[in-house]
Amino acid sequence: AAHQRSVPRLPIPPLGETLERYLRAAQPLQTLEEHAITRAAVAQFFDTDGPGLQRLLEEADAALPHDSSYLESLWYRLAYLGPRSPVPIHANPCFTLAPPSRHTPPLERAAGLLAKAAQWAHALRTGTLTAPTAKGGSPLCMALLPAVLGTARIPRQGCDVLHSASAPDAAAVCRRGEWYSVPLFDATGAPLPPATLLDSLKQLPPAAAHAPAVGALTAWRRDEWAEARAALSSSPQNESSLKAIDEALLVLSLDDSAPASPTELARTSLCGDATARWYDKLQLLVFADGQAAINFEHAPQVVSLASHLAEAGEHEAGGRRAAA
């Protein structure tokens, strides 16, 4: 709490400064005549509607919680949830994780990473997570950290929405298009150890060779995916399965491929086989040779916060991550 209170709020610039920034941005894109017209319009706005709108903005911002800002809802809607392009490449980033110090079979690597994610979530819930800082020790806002795990982007016509589970306790595991739920915590809420998670992963039934690749729909254009999801949800069983994925702590994708180079690992982690992905949540990708990566839906978080979780993977691997 003390850390969060020390984070400065995003300031609202004075109206004149905002307008000068707008003019500087517009100038390279305009002819001298066009820019003169724009400058006259900006001066008129400053003398008429501008001050009243600035005051309304400042009043609305003052009514928000300390760890929010006037820009937040606009940013969600205009930058991420509103665009209708597919989220792979256009929105979702990824981190590739350094290999372990010894060769690790893929299920063992997956169990270790799931355990680290559960430990990270437990530390966040219990208030024991180390507060993130920027270079030089400046505090970073932690308000969005609860959304790093347990949050899903839900497709809707025109603009998507975010859904955060109250206390997610399982991973949604995708294996050759089949989906399974693997518990990550015991009855007391404590994270399960890697050995227990490894046993759970080993007990997953062999996946069918041609299972329905529902995850590929998350790579579709958003309105088309919204329409397809609505059709799927007309079945109570499908609706229950979709809810289980949405409310999982995270997705684990067990990928049959083995990228042959760092470039190939980055490419397939960023936009690989969509039949083995769920692009609407944060997902761990573990490949057949034990390589691993994190791909995440960008709307509820910024890269600096997702990297706070990725550091758990670094510590598990004893190496460094690379961003794409």
Side-chain angles (χ1 to χ4, degrees), residues 49-72:
D49 295 336
L53 292 173
Q54 177 82 0
R55 184 173 61 256
L56 290 175
L57 178 60
E58 291 170 351
E59 291 173 354
D61 183 64
L64 293 172
H66 173 79
D67 54 8
S68 183
S69 80
Y70 72 97
L71 191 57
E72 190 170 323

Side-chain angles (χ1 to χ4, degrees), residues 93-100 109 113 253 255-273 277 279 284-295 317 320-324:
C94 74
F95 295 110
T96 59
L97 301 180
R109 183 82 194 277
L113 290 169
S253 171
D255 195 304
D256 286 335
S257 67
S261 67
T263 298
E264 180 62 17
L265 175 61
R267 187 202 65 78
T268 194
S269 299
L270 189 64
C271 55
D273 180 6
R277 302 287 186 271
Y279 287 110
L284 286 173
L285 312 175
V286 177
F287 298 92
D289 57 359
Q291 295 188 87
I294 295 174
N295 181 295
R320 298 172 177 265
R321 69 183 183 278

Side-chain angles (χ1 to χ4, degrees), residues 19 42 44 68 83 89 94 115 135 159 181 190 210 243 245 260 315:
L19 296 179
V42 165
Q44 183 181 18
S68 183
I89 300 179
C94 74
K135 288 183 177 179
C159 186
S181 182
H210 301 289
K243 183 179 180 181
I245 296 173
H315 296 155

Side-chain angles (χ1 to χ4, degrees), residues 7-123:
V7 177
R9 295 197 74 204
L10 183 69
I12 298 178
L15 178 61
E17 181 181 333
T18 298
L19 296 179
E20 280 301 317
R21 289 180 178 181
Y22 171 72
L23 288 171
R24 287 200 301 270
Q27 187 172 17
L29 307 176
Q30 297 179 309
T31 64
L32 291 176
E33 182 178 321
E34 289 169 339
H35 190 66
I37 294 172
T38 298
R39 186 169 286 276
V42 165
Q44 183 181 18
F45 178 79
F46 182 80
D47 292 333
T48 54
D49 295 336
L53 292 173
Q54 177 82 0
R55 184 173 61 256
L56 290 175
L57 178 60
E58 291 170 351
E59 291 173 354
D61 183 64
L64 293 172
H66 173 79
D67 54 8
S68 183
S69 80
Y70 72 97
L71 191 57
E72 190 170 323
S73 61
L74 294 172
W75 181 251
Y76 284 152
R77 186 172 71 252
L78 300 178
Y80 290 110
L81 299 178
R84 303 290 81 196
S85 300
V87 292
I89 300 179
H90 294 94
N92 284 30
C94 74
F95 295 110
T96 59
L97 301 180
S101 56
R102 61 175 179 83
H103 173 71
T104 305
L107 291 186
E108 183 179 337
R109 183 82 194 277
L113 290 169
L114 286 178
K116 286 293 184 180
Q119 292 163 13
W120 187 91
H122 183 261

Side-chain angles (χ1 to χ4, degrees), residues 226-251:
E227 182 178 355
R229 176 163 173 142
L232 287 171
S233 297
S234 63
S235 158
Q237 182 176 353
N238 287 342
E239 176 64 19
S240 176
S241 297
L242 289 168
K243 183 179 180 181
I245 296 173
D246 293 338
E247 298 194 346
L249 189 73
L250 74 169
V251 166

